[in-house]
Amino acid sequence: MALVLGCEVLAMSGCASPMPEVRSDPASAALELRPDSAQLVAEPRHSERDVTRVEPDALVLDEENSIFFALSSSRVAASEGLKLRRHADDLVENEARRVILIGHADNLGSHGFNLAVSEKRVNEVSRQLRSYGVAASQIRRYAVGSEKMPKNCRSEICRKKMRRVDLIFSK
């Protein structure tokens, strides 16, 4: 069984609207920027290029574009901070480029707790990007909690991969 979490960002250049609040949309499978409304909207999308797939009790992720966290934490570890700094430098250098931050959590807490911790993670990654000089207009934030966690993700290795913020960049 494959979990498809494909995130493609379309037509993001030229979007200078203020940064929206963190949104929680567990039903969404992908995010898209509609050029006519300059708003991010959630739409289901399936693609062979999807980054996340479920394999027997394991996730395959693009780890370079994910910031991982300790259990119940929103603190960015030093090693993850170095990765985040590289992304920030790229965003500062390319002002037209945008990033969507998507916060995740494992399934060890309640729905409300997992959503709150994923929002804190997204806010912390956003705060650090801003501290490195990334403009607020380049950042969009979403929290999905544990809603996107595959049902067969039962091992600690799999749960650890769910404690993350994905960075999805415009092209």
Side-chain angles (χ1 to χ4, degrees), residues 30-153:
L31 300 172
E32 176 183 327
L33 180 63
R34 290 192 176 162
D36 59 328
S37 66
Q39 293 272 348
L40 285 172
V41 294
E43 292 186 1
R45 185 179 305 265
H46 302 286
S47 167
E48 291 184 21
R49 299 181 312 153
D50 292 332
V51 176
T52 307
R53 290 183 175 73
V54 176
E55 310 226 334
D57 208 21
L59 291 175
V60 178
L61 299 171
D62 179 359
E63 293 190 15
E64 184 57 34
N65 291 331
S66 295
I67 305 299
F68 295 94
F69 295 86
L71 179 65
S72 301
S73 175
S74 60
R75 186 182 149 282
V76 176
S79 60
E80 298 299 295
L82 294 172
K83 192 183 336 179
L84 192 56
R85 180 63 191 238
R86 287 191 302 271
H87 289 304
D89 291 344
D90 182 57
L91 287 163
V92 168
E93 196 172 298
N94 301 295
E95 293 176 3
R97 198 161 194 213
R98 305 287 187 258
V99 64
I100 299 173
L101 307 176
I102 304 174
H104 299 270
D106 62 28
N107 64 345
L108 296 178
S110 69
H111 172 75
F113 176 82
N114 290 338
L115 190 56
V117 77
S118 67
E119 286 179 7
K120 287 180 182 179
R121 290 171 178 162
V122 166
N123 289 336
E124 180 59 20
V125 170
S126 177
R127 186 195 68 74
Q128 285 197 19
L129 287 171
R130 298 275 295 127
S131 75
Y132 295 141
V134 177
S137 62
Q138 290 179 271
I139 303 169
R140 298 290 180 262
R141 303 172 296 159
Y142 293 88
V144 296
S146 59
E147 295 297 318
K148 297 296 180 186
M149 186 165 172
K151 291 184 188 333
N152 67 345
C153 182

